[in-house]
Amino acid sequence: MRQDEADQDSQALAGLLKGTPTIARNSSLQTSSEVINHTKPHPLQRSSRYIRKTGDAYLRRAESEHSLNQRGAAIADYTRAAVELHPNEPSLFLHGDRQLLHGPRGAGWYNTSLMSLVVVGSVAYDGVETPHGKVDRMLGGAATYISLAASYFTPVKIVAVVGEDFAREDMELLASRKIDVSGIETVAGGKTFFWAGVYSADMNDRTTLRTDLNVFANFNPKLPESYRSSRYLLLGNIQPALQKSVRHQMNGVEFTGGDTMNYWIQDFRGELLETIREWDFLLINDSEARMLSGCHNLRRAAQSVLEMGPKILVIKRGEYGAVLFTRDFHFMAPGYLLEDVFDPTGAGDCFAGGFMGYLSASGARLSDGGYDAAQLRKAVIYGSVMGSFCCEKFGVDRFRTLTREEIEARYQEFKSCTDF
Amino acid sequence: MRQDEADQDSQALAGLLKGTPTIARNSSLQTSSEVINHTKPHPLQRSSRYIRKTGDAYLRRAESEHSLNQRGAAIADYTRAAVELHPNEPSLFLHGDRQLLHGPRGAGWYNTSLMSLVVVGSVAYDGVETPHGKVDRMLGGAATYISLAASYFTPVKIVAVVGEDFAREDMELLASRKIDVSGIETVAGGKTFFWAGVYSADMNDRTTLRTDLNVFANFNPKLPESYRSSRYLLLGNIQPALQKSVRHQMNGVEFTGGDTMNYWIQDFRGELLETIREWDFLLINDSEARMLSGCHNLRRAAQSVLEMGPKILVIKRGEYGAVLFTRDFHFMAPGYLLEDVFDPTGAGDCFAGGFMGYLSASGARLSDGGYDAAQLRKAVIYGSVMGSFCCEKFGVDRFRTLTREEIEARYQEFKSCTDF
């Protein structure tokens, strides 16, 4: 796009922001602290018209059917139509750090910087062998999977460390999904975390063949200033003390949660308990929940974990789905029945990304007291949807082609497979 | 109840049958072959007013609020009210072999003899040890569990064989649930099938300690004449050739299905395939589905099994629930999360009983071509509900106190745990 086009577009959208208060169902939005003053596009935002479509055809029609100087108004019209027809679907337009969407307070402009999700964890290279094939080295790591999955829902800002060997095309894949990679530290002369493993015939078990921590051994996440005002924080599986330190670097975070593993549960129990006490949600698998609580029964285990601090617990059960627990209710999502599971690596992380990405995009708040049960249920399904896509190809390959339309279609498929 | 009261009641109900065609939404019921001519109560029907309530308070109110000679009309009123308020709930009145219910063709009188479910399989004594305790000898057997579970939905007629040691109180338990036990053969001088096993700490595995087939070794089921016109047939896990022979003893069965196990799949494959080719549904667990189809992937395994004949396949997954497959859709039900699992023995059979009991009560038909997807989905949930209750006490003990109200409450709990 030429600079004058961009300027015209900016003007049109700025006009829209001022001139069409009818877009905002709740006009208090227009005067709240969430109205943003700077309109400079994010450097990684490559979309030629600053528009990101997440739901239906209306937004694309606004782009294609209208001349440039009408586009702002057209987008307003189409958004209104989309919001009215799909009241539960966050419709997402990005313009700089602003988002025109149907958020928690009605349709209006939200500050994407506040709404964005900060993801902390490993970015790695993986060697994986499954009954369907073998890849010696490909992009992996929990933060990679989480960020890719979440990026379909909300702006993501990643914090990680890589070595000099980290490939330009892998950084570009993240950037192409509009993930803010300014928090990825590259260690000069260092090598990226490498993991290799092989899956059993039924892919329910895997054996680790090699773990080279490399630069990840000294990972001490530091949040760029531009990350700290984000409302949402998802902490991948790293040492609990580091998870705690990241949380304390945030200003006014609304919703924090993350993952952990048997190693921290067994050998760093005190540190872990101190860390998760401050979390809003914890996302672990069934054996971890049993280990953490000391109860075999899943319902009792969940009750016990909820007493440790988190208001929300999601227990992942692999191919059998996931269960979300709060003090008031629980919600069970089955695992999607794939015809071919090529590579389950990262499925749990993609669950986390879909879950938290959806909640971020929906403006979920716990600090208001209480949670929106319907929102949490949907988030579990979006998590399951993203986990299921992850398994369809090796590594992160599925995210090179996945569209928001496919996500919605699978969400509907979950509905039709479980509704009675 | 005195005889004159019974006569008055019969007259009132007979009057109702003739005089209030408005009850039947589809009046063709009144003239169909399903209208019954004999009104003699079943000998095992102990309810004092020939009324069996299965859903809400309206029916009890008809009993309590009206004098005897008004009762027939009152029941009609209350049924209409119940049917209008709970259109999806089969409301069941028994009067002799007639049932006043909201069935597949609207509210009206159905022939309970035609609608009843014939259950064939083992009636046994079990010795069971779980982490919660040990019972040396208690009532068990697949047909026992299936019949008890199904009896909450529809009239059940059981076919089995027992020895002289079979206790009178165990027969009475079955009879107290209005199960027709005239098809239970008692072998003079014989001993009842005995099985003993011990469960692992997590109760996902069990080890058989003892199997004494006793009279079950020569079980050759013969259906009493009064069983043969039933529309519904559920064949417990016995030799496939016997299952086949039972089906051929039925006249005009609408819906046949059953269970099998690894032994028959491996060593009697030809005989099994010949048998299930005639079935409408097959109900097996995941490892059996994999063994039968030769596919590890559940969805592919299901496709392969559906090509063997059954139009409906239900794959039980233990604590993880069940999946129903047809050629057109699949439906996933999660396992109910119990706080205490005392004894999982019979849970799969209770699933079968709830599933098939609900379908029988709903007048499900496959011979019409096609199936009612909504009905099948509900049946899976009722199956899961009954399986979950079974685990709450040792053996069949939960069925000594379980009420239809508890079943409905758990059905609603399933809804609230899965709805999004």
Side-chain angles (χ1 to χ4, degrees), chain A residues 271-335:
Chain A
E271 189 179 310
L272 177 67
L273 290 179
E274 219 177 275
T275 300
I276 65 171
R277 189 174 304 136
E278 302 177 332
W279 289 7
D280 300 300
F281 78 96
L282 176 64
L283 209 145
I284 48 183
N285 70 30
D286 40 8
S287 69
E288 288 157 357
R290 287 177 173 130
M291 189 184 280
L292 181 58
S293 65
C295 304
H296 177 78
N297 180 283
L298 214 60
R299 210 157 165 172
R300 289 177 185 277
Q303 282 160 355
S304 160
V305 172
L306 289 174
E307 281 163 19
M308 297 174 186
K311 297 171 197 74
I312 297 161
L313 170 66
V314 179
I315 298 181
K316 296 174 287 178
R317 305 168 100 189
E319 64 169 313
Y320 299 111
V323 190
L324 177 141
F325 293 91
T326 72
R327 280 171 193 270
D328 305 321
F329 74 98
H330 70 273
F331 171 68
M332 294 186 276

Side-chain angles (χ1 to χ4, degrees), chain B residues 220-402:
Chain B
N220 189 4
K222 277 188 205 65
L223 268 53
E225 199 50 46
S226 63
Y227 281 34
R228 298 181 184 224
S229 59
S230 292
R231 291 251 171 85
Y232 301 95
L233 175 61
L234 184 46
L235 296 154
N237 169 28
I238 55 174
Q239 185 170 343
L242 296 181
Q243 293 176 318
K244 192 175 176 187
S245 131
V246 171
R247 191 185 182 281
H248 290 183
Q249 293 174 46
M250 301 284 288
N251 304 321
V253 64
E254 284 275 354
F255 210 110
T256 304
D259 194 6
T260 191
M261 69 184 286
N262 50 3
Y263 177 62
W264 310 119
I265 296 172
Q266 279 179 317
D267 296 350
F268 290 73
R269 189 174 173 86
E271 190 179 309
L272 178 67
L273 291 179
E274 220 176 273
T275 301
I276 64 171
R277 188 174 304 135
E278 301 176 334
W279 290 6
D280 300 300
F281 78 95
L282 176 65
L283 208 145
I284 49 182
N285 70 31
D286 39 8
S287 67
E288 288 157 357
R290 286 176 173 131
M291 189 184 281
L292 181 57
S293 65
C295 304
H296 177 79
N297 181 283
L298 214 59
R299 210 157 165 173
R300 289 177 187 276
Q303 283 160 354
S304 159
V305 172
L306 289 174
E307 281 163 19
M308 298 174 186
K311 296 172 198 74
I312 297 161
L313 170 67
V314 179
I315 298 182
K316 297 174 286 179
R317 305 168 103 191
E319 63 169 313
Y320 300 111
V323 191
L324 177 141
F325 293 90
T326 72
R327 280 172 193 270
D328 305 321
F329 74 98
H330 70 273
F331 171 68
M332 294 186 277
Y336 183 79
L337 293 178
L338 284 163
E339 290 216 16
D340 286 300
V341 175
F342 273 89
D343 173 12
T345 311
D349 297 317
C350 291
F351 179 98
F355 176 78
M356 196 61 195
Y358 175 77
L359 288 179
S360 307
S362 308
R365 290 182 167 204
L366 278 188
S367 57
D368 287 358
Y371 29 65
D372 179 335
Q375 211 170 51
L376 290 176
R377 289 161 184 261
K378 285 185 180 180
V380 172
I381 300 296
Y382 277 113
S384 305
V385 164
M386 300 312 287
S388 74
F389 280 120
C390 178
C391 301
E392 290 185 345
K393 292 204 169 171
F394 266 88
V396 300
D397 274 1
R398 190 61 181 89
F399 299 106
R400 298 184 198 278
T401 56
L402 183 68

Side-chain angles (χ1 to χ4, degrees), chain B residues 183-213:
Chain B
I184 299 185
E185 180 195 355
T186 305
V187 176
K191 286 183 74 181
T192 304
F193 180 14
F194 179 79
W195 172 86
V198 57
Y199 284 85
S200 62
D202 64 5
M203 286 184 275
N204 285 329
D205 292 302
R206 73 179 185 194
T207 310
T208 291
L209 300 176
R210 197 167 149 183
T211 306
D212 300 339
L213 288 177

